[in-house]
Amino acid sequence: MAERMYAAFNCRDAMAARDIFASTFYSHPLKASGWECVQRVWQRMWDQHPALKVTLKDLVSDNQRVATRTEMVGFADGSTATMLEMFTFENDRIVELWGLSGKPQTMS
């Protein structure tokens, strides 16, 4: 499901959030609930950074959680960022997210 989420982000498929995130989804970094908050954040990011893409670098999982390390490229200023995220799942949907993002670095 985490891989599907990143693919949806990269394809600009905001409607996929309905199938990926639970209606009770909670994002700790955003302090927001519901899959609709994901759609709003994704759209805002795409509007500000039209070339933005996420590349999955590492994924570790157990029965109910997934931890990922990703790289984001395509920021309008040419910078990149590393994200560490942990997701909790129920009924094949993401129900909770914790995340940290490294300060973007300008590409050389």
Side-chain angles (χ1 to χ4, degrees), residues 1-18 20-21 30 37-56 70-75 81 83 85 87 94 97:
M1 193 56 67
E3 291 170 323
R4 186 172 173 204
M5 178 195 66
Y6 295 127
F9 180 87
N10 287 340
C11 291
R12 307 302 194 253
D13 184 4
M15 294 306 295
R18 290 181 184 195
I20 296 169
F21 298 90
L30 298 175
C37 78
V38 175
Q39 286 183 315
R40 286 190 301 273
V41 168
W42 284 4
Q43 191 61 57
R44 187 169 49 241
M45 292 175 76
W46 298 330
D47 291 346
Q48 292 174 0
H49 310 283
L52 195 61
K53 296 283 185 189
V54 177
T55 301
L56 181 62
T70 59
E71 181 180 52
M72 295 185 79
V73 299
F75 286 98
M83 292 190 311
E85 296 180 302
F87 308 93
I94 298 173
L97 164 70

Side-chain angles (χ1 to χ4, degrees), residues 74-101:
F75 286 98
D77 65 0
S79 65
T80 64
T82 297
M83 292 190 311
L84 301 175
E85 296 180 302
M86 181 177 284
F87 308 93
T88 301
F89 295 86
E90 286 178 12
N91 301 320
D92 296 325
R93 297 277 197 280
I94 298 173
V95 294
E96 199 166 12
L97 164 70
W98 295 265
L100 297 171
S101 180

